[in-house]
Amino acid sequence: MTLSFDPDTVQVPSGHHIGGKYVELPGEEITVLRPSDEKLMGVLSDGGADSVEMSVAAAKAALSKSKWATMAPRDRARVLFKFADKIEENAEYLGRLEAMGSARLVSGTITGDVVRTAGVVRYFAEYCDKLEGTVTATKADTLSFTKREPYGIVGAIVPWNFPLITAAWKFGAALAAGNAVVMKTSELTPHSLLATAQLASEAGLPAGLFNVVNGYGHTTGAAIVSHPDIQIISFTGSTQTGAAIMSLAALSGIKPVILELGGKSPQVITRNAGDLDMIATRVADSFMVNAGQVCTLPSRLLIEDCIADELTEKVIARTKKIKPGPTWDANTTFAPIISAKQLNRIDGMVQETIKQGAELLAGGARLEAVNEGNFYAPTIFTNVSRENIGFTDEFFGPVVSISRFADLEDAITQAQHPVYGLAASVHTTDMREAMHVVDQVEAGMVFVNQHGRDPEFTYTAGGFKGSGFGKDMGRAGFEAFTREKAVWINYH
Ligand code: NAD
């Protein structure tokens, strides 16, 4: 299969997907552009409260008619397995939509993101009949136990950086646990998810169980969070939006929120890391993937003094070897920034970092060699003080700072961030060093000798502190969409 394709030949879905079919609704226009060339991908409408109301009505009817929550768990699993198969059968189409509309490269969407999306659905389908409670200790002639039940209707809101996978972590788990879902796509990357919802219908998922609406955050997103019949909110996005969602959820009726938020993650490289050429490649590639638009981005490199000069040089050299280009060209190795607005935001923050006293070692401007689209050069700073926005703020682009450390305690002190605690990594062949960092660093995810997860489904994703709470994926990510009921029976 040749992965490269002509984006003008791909059919793009339109409308919201409510009650098992595409539905056009009036609303403010959302113009979706392809980040690689800024050409039009599609025009959708902001569904607002009406689209959410319609989705909730469809979800209620579907839950009642299909008995989704109470059917034999294996029957629920069977439908989800068919849904996963459909996703995989349509990998080429979904992978093309994903590449066209987002910063994901086609070299990794068809055989990567889409296959993993199907894998996530299968992983959670396997959990359908593994929902268990506990029998607790009581006196004679009484029985006390707990059972887990679905919430009913789950509201989910997702960002644009990994549109399909981030969504699957939520809809896969929520559906498997017996819920219906009302999900809002990011207004920047709606199309692959809309097409996935159609595949759910074709696979036989009862119409109305999985609804996908388009819209802006302050309208459609807020309508989901404040809807009285939506019982729990699962959100992935920025810390600022997470805080707004948490307060809206509290003010519009008490409902739980799961928040997967931003980060400013450290990557610690000790003198025992190993061959520096290999480490330089590993380190540079980890912050250039998806052009740095990754929540766990290792945006702060902490390097032990004695290897800092040599490793810094090698990392900079590696950043010059990129091939920026359209996401639909299989030879492209460096992605565009999602939008012109986001590129300007990154550039503004880079210039501010310089103004606040940091030293620019590489990049620091848009990539002029690429005529169309939103491309920004891999950018490296050093001498970034803890007060500088280069240390404090999430850029969500290919921008990192390099600092030196004297010993491991110094590295751990520097690794802690006052706000964020999403991820961290340490590169060392000395396992005592590695485990010391693992134990001490405040982060929800820690990697040793890599930065970023392998595509395993058992590994939970979620942060500490300002990076949020609650988990996606793993058993915790499944149980998050259930609530525990305690039962007491007196039979004497
Ligand atoms: P964002 O917070 O701007 O938007 C995320 C989603 O929330 C979008 O669908 C948006 O329309 C919606 N939204 C915005 N305001 C809202 C409101 N008031 N009420 C309800 N919904 C609202 O984030 P983004 O720019 O799309 O994505 C980038 C951010 O996401 C980064 O901060 C990144 O770190 C974070 N992220 C975190 C994880 C994780 O697992 N922790 C994963 C991916 C991305």
Side-chain angles (χ1 to χ4, degrees), residues 157-161 184-187 215-218 221-222 225 235-238 241 244-245 260-263 295 394 396 422:
I157 299 174
V158 288
W160 45 263
N161 56 332
K184 189 186 90 60
T185 60
S186 164
E187 58 274 31
Y216 295 111
H218 64 283
V225 177
F235 170 75
T236 298
S238 63
T241 307
I245 283 177
E260 306 288 352
L261 308 178
C295 57
E394 184 186 44
F396 220 57
L422 188 59

Side-chain angles (χ1 to χ4, degrees), residues 147-162:
K147 63 194 289 271
R148 301 200 76 93
E149 298 176 348
Y151 277 92
I153 305 176
V154 170
I157 299 174
V158 288
W160 45 263
N161 56 332
F162 292 87

Side-chain angles (χ1 to χ4, degrees), residues 29-48:
E29 256 186 20
I30 300 177
T31 307
V32 184
L33 303 179
R34 308 189 301 215
S36 298
D37 63 3
E38 288 276 275
K39 296 213 169 101
L40 185 70
M41 179 146 172
V43 179
L44 298 163
S45 71
D46 181 0

Side-chain angles (χ1 to χ4, degrees), residues 140-393:
D141 298 340
T142 56
L143 174 65
S144 167
F145 64 94
T146 63
K147 63 194 289 271
R148 301 200 76 93
E149 298 176 348
Y151 277 92
I153 305 176
V154 170
I157 299 174
V158 288
W160 45 263
N161 56 332
F162 292 87
L164 271 182
I165 290 192
T166 312
W169 289 358
K170 299 182 190 305
F171 70 70
L175 289 170
N179 299 283
V181 177
V182 179
M183 177 169 262
K184 189 186 90 60
T185 60
S186 164
E187 58 274 31
L188 297 170
T189 54
H191 293 106
S192 55
L193 196 55
L194 285 171
T196 304
Q198 174 63 21
L199 296 177
S201 302
E202 289 172 19
L205 187 78
L209 284 183
F210 181 28
N211 305 284
V212 175
V213 294
N214 309 304
Y216 295 111
H218 64 283
T219 49
T220 310
I224 289 177
V225 177
S226 56
H227 197 290
D229 295 332
I230 293 182
Q231 314 270 11
I232 179 171
I233 302 297
S234 178
F235 170 75
T236 298
S238 63
T239 296
Q240 198 187 8
T241 307
I245 283 177
M246 197 171 164
S247 54
L248 184 57
L251 291 173
S252 48
I254 300 295
K255 67 180 75 167
V257 288
I258 299 165
L259 300 177
E260 306 288 352
L261 308 178
K264 190 81 182 175
S265 301
Q267 177 157 228
V268 174
I269 302 133
T270 81
R271 67 172 76 200
N272 300 312
D275 176 68
L276 288 190
D277 286 314
M278 181 263 293
I279 295 294
T281 303
R282 193 198 277 167
V283 163
D285 290 1
S286 72
F287 71 75
M288 294 194 296
V289 68
N290 221 24
Q293 299 158 105
V294 180
C295 57
T296 52
L297 182 80
S299 48
R300 296 185 295 124
L301 308 189
L302 310 178
I303 310 178
E304 191 158 355
D305 250 332
C306 57
I307 55 167
D309 288 339
E310 193 182 345
L311 186 58
T312 300
E313 234 172 73
K314 288 178 189 292
V315 169
I316 292 172
R318 177 75 186 172
T319 63
K320 311 287 182 207
K321 294 206 171 121
I322 50 170
K323 278 197 212 133
T327 44
W328 45 83
D329 181 340
N331 294 314
T332 297
T333 64
F334 189 71
I337 303 298
I338 192 71
S339 66
K341 186 174 165 210
Q342 174 65 1
L343 184 142
N344 289 334
R345 177 181 165 271
I346 293 168
D347 190 48
M349 294 174 83
V350 164
Q351 304 317 322
E352 185 57 31
T353 305
I354 296 170
K355 227 186 265 172
Q356 294 183 8
E359 184 187 338
L360 183 68
L361 297 179
R366 65 181 302 151
L367 280 169
E368 291 301 345
V370 185
N371 296 328
E372 302 167 308
N374 313 308
F375 291 86
Y376 202 80
T379 297
I380 302 177
F381 284 110
T382 192
N383 293 327
V384 178
S385 71
R386 283 181 83 86
E387 294 72 41
N388 191 310
I389 64 159
F391 175 83
T392 54
D393 290 22

